[in-house]
Amino acid sequence: MSLEEKLEFFKLLVKVGFKEIEVGFPAASQTEFDFMRTLIEQDMIPDDVTVQVLTQAREHIIKRTFEAVKGAKRENVIVHLYNSTSKAQREQVFRKSKEEIKQIAVEGAKLLQELSERDGGGYRFEYSPESFTGTEVDYALEVCNAVLDVWQPSADNKVIINLPVTVEMSMPHVYASQIEYMCKHLNNREHLVISVHAHNDRGTGVASSELALLAGADRVEGTIFGNGERTGNTDVITVALNMFCQGIDPELHLENIDEIIEVYEKYNRLPINPRHPYAGEMAYVA
C-alpha cells in the first residue's frame, strides 16, 4: 500500500472499533516510517486507540523504531520486540546456544527500557518469542521470564507476552495446551496480557485462536479477512463473529460488513473468497 492507502485503511480500522492496531515495522522501509510519523504529526491517533510498532531485537532497528514514535502520546504506543527462539532457527540460522539466544532477548528488552526512560517513560511493551510453537515450551518460558525480569510488570504497567504460531505445525488443541502451560508458569501472570498470534498454514488459525482464549489467553492478534503477516494471519472478522454467535460481544462495528469488504478489496487488491464464512457472497445465499 502507498502511504495514502495506509492512512485510509487505518481510518477503517478505527471506525470498525479496534483499540489496538499494529501499524507496521517502521525500520523496515521509508514508507512504514513515514506512515507512523504522519499518524503522529497529523494527530490521527484517537485518545482511546493504541498503535503498535514492531521491532526485531537488534540495536539499530530498535533505535530507528523509537525515532518513528517520537512525539506520540506514550501511553498510546506499544513497542513490540521479538527474536526467534525455535530449535531450528537456533541451530540452522543463528548457530547460537540457548543462552546466547536468551541474551539477545534480554539485551533488546534493556534497550527498550533505556530508550523509553530517556523519552520520559510510559510506552507499553510487548515481547514475542518468535516461532514459539517450534520452541521447547520450557525454554520459551525461560526466555519470556528473563525479559519480564528486565521490564518488571506491575498493575499500572502491564506487559504483553505474545505467543505466536509463526509456523502452524500442530492441531489447535496442542497450541492451546502450550498457552495453558505458559499462563500457569509465567512470572507475574496477574500483570501480564497473554496474546496469541496464529498463522493459518494448516487452515486452523481461527480454531487455534479460539481454543487459546479458552486456555487462558487474553488477546488475539490477527488481520482483516486473514490477509497479512506481521500480526499472524488469523481472520479477526471470523473470530469476532464466532464470539458474537456464542454470546460474547467483540465490541466491533461489523453490522455494515459490506463497507468493510469494499475498503478491504480496494486497498488490498484482493477479492473476498465467495465461501468466506461471513463475508463471502455465498454466505448470504446460505
Side-chain angles (χ1 to χ4, degrees):
M1 294 184 199
S2 67
L3 174 60
E4 292 72 22
E5 289 170 331
K6 284 177 178 287
L7 293 169
E8 290 303 314
F9 202 77
F10 178 78
K11 291 176 185 176
L12 172 71
L13 296 176
V14 170
K15 184 176 181 180
V16 170
F18 289 101
K19 299 303 181 187
E20 295 180 354
I21 302 172
E22 187 163 285
V23 295
F25 194 145
S29 72
Q30 191 61 44
T31 302
E32 300 230 342
F33 185 90
D34 291 345
F35 177 43
M36 187 68 235
R37 295 308 310 156
T38 302
L39 291 176
I40 295 169
E41 291 165 7
Q42 295 188 12
D43 196 22
M44 294 179 66
I45 305 168
D47 289 340
D48 62 344
V49 170
T50 300
V51 293
Q52 179 170 304
V53 289
L54 189 64
T55 177
Q56 292 172 329
R58 299 170 67 188
E59 182 178 355
H60 70 287
I61 293 179
I62 293 171
K63 288 182 174 178
R64 178 70 167 162
T65 303
F66 274 83
E67 288 176 25
V69 300
K70 191 172 183 179
K73 296 174 184 174
R74 292 186 292 277
E75 65 275 13
N76 292 92
V77 176
I78 297 168
V79 183
H80 180 184
L81 177 77
Y82 76 94
N83 67 300
S84 186
T85 57
S86 72
K87 186 175 190 295
Q89 292 213 3
R90 291 196 316 263
E91 294 178 354
Q92 298 169 35
V93 178
F94 299 107
R95 301 184 186 278
K96 291 183 182 294
S97 68
K98 285 183 173 181
E99 192 59 35
E100 288 173 314
I101 293 293
K102 180 172 73 173
Q103 198 57 32
I104 290 172
V106 169
E107 291 303 320
K110 287 179 178 177
L111 185 54
L112 256 65
Q113 187 87 9
E114 176 188 320
L115 294 176
S116 176
E117 289 172 359
R118 180 201 67 186
D119 291 346
Y123 293 112
R124 294 174 60 194
F125 293 153
E126 175 172 348
Y127 174 70
S128 291
E130 187 193 6
S131 302
F132 166 71
T133 49
T135 304
E136 306 89 333
V137 70
D138 56 339
Y139 176 61
L141 177 70
E142 180 183 336
V143 175
C144 290
N145 278 334
V147 169
L148 292 173
D149 286 343
V150 175
W151 288 343
Q152 294 293 310
S154 65
D156 297 324
N157 179 35
K158 290 192 174 184
V159 165
I160 302 167
I161 293 292
N162 187 54
L163 301 170
V165 184
T166 305
V167 178
E168 191 174 39
M169 52 181 68
S170 68
M171 294 172 69
H173 72 284
V174 176
Y175 180 52
S177 295
Q178 293 167 323
I179 296 300
E180 183 179 19
Y181 175 89
M182 295 293 283
C183 287
K184 286 181 177 178
H185 293 95
L186 278 164
N187 295 339
N188 298 303
R189 173 64 181 98
E190 68 277 17
H191 299 145
L192 303 179
V193 175
I194 304 302
S195 177
V196 294
H197 168 126
H199 286 251
N200 204 39
D201 306 283
R202 291 167 53 97
T204 58
V206 168
S208 293
S209 299
E210 292 192 41
L211 283 179
L213 290 173
L214 289 176
D218 307 301
R219 177 182 188 257
V220 173
E221 292 195 356
T223 57
I224 296 284
F225 299 127
N227 177 46
E229 184 64 22
R230 290 178 186 154
T231 53
N233 48 38
T234 291
D235 178 1
V236 290
I237 299 295
T238 298
V239 173
L241 288 170
N242 283 359
M243 291 173 68
F244 189 74
C245 290
Q246 294 295 318
I248 301 167
D249 185 358
E251 299 183 12
L252 297 176
H253 301 295
L254 302 176
E255 59 275 4
N256 189 5
I257 200 165
D258 289 330
E259 180 187 3
I260 301 170
I261 293 168
E262 180 183 353
V263 175
Y264 168 87
E265 292 187 330
K266 178 180 179 181
Y267 294 124
N268 287 274
R269 301 171 185 83
L270 290 171
I272 299 292
N273 190 304
R275 290 291 181 186
H276 185 282
Y278 294 100
E281 45 185 59
M282 297 302 291
Y284 292 109
V285 176

